[in-house]
Amino acid sequence: MSGVGEILKAVGDFGPFQKRLVLLTVLPCLSLAFHQFCQLFMVPNDVPHHCDTSWILAIAPNLTEEEQLNLTLPRDADGAYEQCSMYSPVDWDLDSIVTYGLNATEKCRSGWVYPAGQPPSLLTEFDLVCDRKDLNDISQSIYMVGLLLGSVIFGPLSDRIGRRPVILLSIFLLGLFGVGIALVPHFYVYIAFRCVVGASVTGITMTILSLGTEWIGVSSRPKAVLLSHCCFAIGEMILAGLSYGIRNWRLLEIAGSAPIFGCLLYIWVLPESARWLVTKGRVEEAKKVLQKAASVNKRTLPPGMLEQLKPEKRIKSGNPLDLFRKKHLRKVTLIMSCAWFVNSFVYYGLSLNVTNFGLDIYLTQLAFGAVEIPARGGCIFILQWFGRKKSQAVLLLLSGVVCLIITAIPEDQPVVTTVLAIIGKFTASASFSTSYVYSAELFPTVIRQTGVGLCSMFARVAGVLAPLILLLGQYHRAIPMAIFGSAPVVGGLLCFLLPETRGTELPDDTGDSHPPAEVYENANSISDNGHMKGKDSSQDKECTKTTHF
């Protein structure tokens, strides 16, 4: 950038200004985890229910509850009342019904009856049982569609109107529709609101990542990203506590959504990206925010440095088709897209299946959130010790193998199943964090955003499919875990075909003038001081620095 990189170095790569920015951007992550998994606690498993057969009370109002059920509900092979069928209503008198009995059956026509002491839940209020049971997993998929739509909408919007407005808009929409969900009268309205919430979640996560990247020095960026991931994990743990204490689903939704409105106070403290301001020709605004950052960091900018700031000349970008036109990029794109897909697949496959592992759902969710903290934080050391390629491949393989082992565990061993699931969640979370770093280092600068964006899109598609795969569990309990386990094993093996990027310079172009192997493997020969020279050797291009830990 025309002077911005040098000025940001003078301002400070990771001073108090950037640390405050990181704090501001990670706080919303506590709320994002709530929306990601809250529905798991709003649809309890194994709630007793049966068809509403109050029609017979018009004929015999003095019947006891047991007599009413005995006359109007068929029994299954175990002698229990059927939950999804009833005897067809007739206009006979009570003596005829008792003497001859009822034989014709039909599906529940007047809804269902639940235990009187059952806390209000999505299941009981919207009858998510029997033929409507699949609506639960379908609504989870619609939420994932919202995540995908958010990346399509808010990504370009942040490039057009700025990072700060999009973050504030997404926070407002998340709070508005999150609280609105607690007031919906119909399940299909609930699904629509959840879709908007999903889009808002992506708007926040994508844009705070861009804002942080554009203010924070290269060496500190991965740590800032992993910190936000850790806050997301803490949010999962908070969700377990909230849902345990608040069993009414509407009150739980308000408790998890309303606090995000506090982040609207960011309108007075959240800075705009100086890099974005310069690209849009708003140089004077960029000067003010850079001067403020220098002041907070207790740095003094050299006289006249800000006056040299000029609007950025547009650099010719790489063609998105280069991702598939060039052999080495085609391999990287296809394998990393597959890696993101299977990683998201197994991550959500385990996370959304938390109610079916057999142990207390609240303790399991607490463990799922807690295990992500060392998984995310440990990536800093794993990537340094073992490199990107081995870490990505082995973590994917382990997460897949764990899921495959779960399929062989008997149903009467919930402790073993849950422990294995927690191990799988650990490896899948660590693999996800690895993907963020590895992808950014594999794609050339001129096309990096496009490449990472494509990988992210595949991850969102996997998120949409994961809840639908869980529906196959009604045919055999092992089918979903077998699918979730097989996919990352294939993806992990493919990752061994990728080049290692630890300690190498980030590729700047698409490799027209270099053999594909040299673009990555021999990048160390370009320089040893952590930066590449521009074509005119007059300026360092900060965007080509290696991500070091």
Side-chain angles (χ1 to χ4, degrees):
M1 309 215 20
S2 303
V4 178
E6 289 76 10
I7 295 175
L8 283 173
K9 290 176 186 176
V11 166
D13 282 346
F14 198 61
F17 179 85
Q18 285 86 354
K19 291 175 182 176
R20 186 180 69 180
L21 177 62
V22 169
L23 178 63
L24 292 175
T25 55
V26 300
L27 285 178
C29 294
L30 299 174
S31 178
L32 303 186
F34 172 87
H35 293 287
Q36 205 85 336
F37 302 117
C38 64
Q39 188 171 316
L40 297 173
F41 300 91
M42 298 177 180
V43 185
N45 274 352
D46 302 325
V47 175
H49 59 276
H50 59 77
C51 298
D52 183 354
T53 58
S54 56
W55 62 270
I56 198 172
L57 296 179
I59 300 172
N62 295 324
L63 287 175
T64 64
E65 181 180 3
E66 182 60 29
E67 290 173 334
Q68 175 189 341
L69 298 182
N70 191 48
L71 291 172
T72 58
L73 294 179
R75 294 178 182 267
D76 59 22
D78 297 327
Y81 292 117
E82 289 281 358
Q83 294 184 319
C84 300
S85 62
M86 56 183 279
Y87 287 124
S88 299
V90 295
D91 58 359
W92 303 349
D93 58 46
L94 180 62
D95 290 337
S96 299
I97 293 175
V98 172
T99 302
Y100 300 105
L102 302 177
N103 294 311
T105 60
E106 61 181 45
K107 295 179 180 179
C108 303
R109 65 162 65 173
S110 302
W112 287 262
V113 176
Y114 306 95
Q118 185 69 28
S121 66
L122 285 174
L123 184 145
T124 57
E125 286 204 22
F126 300 121
D127 293 330
L128 302 184
V129 294
C130 301
D131 290 345
R132 293 172 55 85
K133 185 177 182 180
D134 291 348
L135 287 175
N136 178 36
D137 288 319
I138 292 172
S139 67
Q140 290 279 35
S141 285
I142 299 298
Y143 171 79
M144 298 295 178
V145 170
L147 294 178
L148 178 59
L149 291 176
S151 64
V152 174
I153 296 170
F154 290 110
L157 188 63
S158 69
D159 287 336
R160 179 178 293 272
I161 68 174
R163 300 359 179 173
R164 182 173 174 273
V166 168
I167 291 174
L168 293 172
L169 174 63
S170 299
I171 288 173
F172 176 74
L173 290 176
L174 181 62
L176 179 65
F177 282 88
V179 173
I181 285 174
L183 308 175
V184 295
H186 198 281
F187 190 67
Y188 292 109
V189 180
Y190 169 86
I191 292 176
F193 276 36
R194 282 279 289 170
C195 187
V196 178
V197 166
S200 303
V201 166
T202 301
I204 293 173
T205 54
M206 282 181 56
T207 315
I208 63 176
L209 179 63
S210 296
L211 183 63
T213 298
E214 290 163 359
W215 271 110
I216 298 170
V218 179
S219 61
S220 299
R221 286 175 191 167
K223 296 174 186 176
V225 171
L226 295 177
L227 179 61
S228 69
H229 289 178
C230 289
C231 282
F232 184 88
I234 294 172
E236 291 186 61
M237 298 169 67
I238 293 174
L239 167 63
L242 268 181
S243 56
Y244 180 80
I246 306 175
R247 301 300 176 95
N248 184 314
W249 78 271
R250 294 185 185 271
L251 296 179
L252 176 61
E253 186 68 43
I254 293 174
S257 301
I260 197 70
F261 282 118
C263 292
L264 289 177
L265 297 174
Y266 286 6
I267 194 170
W268 287 287
V269 295
L270 189 68
E272 182 56 271
S273 166
R275 291 178 179 273
W276 180 84
L277 289 170
V278 173
T279 61
K280 294 300 179 180
R282 296 161 61 175
V283 177
E284 292 305 316
E285 294 178 60
K287 289 179 181 178
K288 290 180 181 178
V289 73
L290 286 167
Q291 186 64 61
K292 180 179 179 181
S295 175
V296 173
N297 287 345
K298 295 180 171 50
R299 294 287 190 95
T300 302
L301 297 178
M305 190 177 210
L306 288 177
E307 301 307 318
Q308 298 173 7
L309 191 61
K310 299 270 195 302
E312 183 189 57
K313 295 179 181 178
R314 293 199 174 273
I315 301 171
K316 183 180 179 182
S317 299
N319 190 332
L321 293 178
D322 288 342
L323 290 172
F324 299 97
R325 184 184 296 128
K326 296 180 166 65
K327 182 180 178 180
H328 62 291
L329 281 177
R330 181 166 61 247
K331 181 177 78 169
V332 166
T333 301
L334 292 176
I335 294 177
M336 283 310 297
S337 295
C338 176
W340 279 66
F341 179 91
V342 299
N343 207 154
S344 177
F345 203 46
V346 68
Y347 179 86
Y348 286 113
L350 289 168
S351 299
L352 299 178
N353 204 29
V354 68
T355 58
N356 298 320
F357 291 132
L359 289 186
D360 182 78
I361 181 178
Y362 304 101
L363 290 177
T364 305
Q365 178 63 35
L366 183 66
F368 268 26
V371 78
E372 283 200 33
I373 297 176
R376 307 287 193 177
C379 276
I380 297 175
F381 307 103
I382 293 173
L383 293 176
Q384 179 62 32
W385 293 338
F386 302 106
R388 278 56 163 163
K389 178 170 71 172
K390 290 180 181 178
S391 299
Q392 183 76 83
V394 172
L395 287 170
L396 278 177
L397 284 171
L398 287 175
S399 61
V401 169
V402 167
C403 289
L404 292 177
I405 294 174
I406 288 176
T407 63
I409 303 300
E411 199 167 357
D412 60 353
Q413 297 292 329
V415 175
V416 178
T417 302
T418 304
V419 169
L420 287 171
I422 291 171
I423 295 173
K425 184 73 180 293
F426 177 93
T427 54
S429 301
S431 178
F432 235 144
S433 292
T434 302
S435 298
Y436 277 88
V437 177
Y438 198 15
S439 299
E441 294 179 347
L442 281 171
F443 290 107
T445 299
V446 294
I447 207 167
R448 182 168 297 125
Q449 193 67 22
T450 302
V452 175
L454 180 65
C455 293
S456 179
M457 185 185 73
F458 274 90
R460 299 302 183 196
V461 172
V464 173
L465 294 177
L468 301 180
I469 296 297
L470 291 174
L471 293 175
L472 299 177
Q474 60 188 303
Y475 302 106
H476 193 286
R477 58 178 290 269
I479 293 178
M481 278 297 119
I483 296 174
F484 292 136
S486 302
V489 168
V490 174
L493 293 174
L494 288 175
C495 285
F496 282 112
L497 300 176
L498 292 170
E500 179 57 69
T501 60
R502 179 180 57 172
T504 65
E505 296 293 341
L506 300 187
D508 222 10
D509 55 34
T510 55
D512 290 319
S513 58
H514 305 279
E518 291 183 4
V519 175
Y520 300 107
E521 312 270 344
N522 297 332
N524 276 327
S525 63
I526 296 174
S527 72
D528 294 319
N529 59 0
H531 61 276
M532 291 177 68
K533 293 291 183 180
K535 289 182 180 179
D536 58 359
S537 297
S538 60
Q539 290 186 23
D540 291 340
K541 291 187 178 180
E542 192 241 22
C543 58
T544 66
K545 287 186 179 178
T546 309
T547 304
H548 292 291
F549 291 99

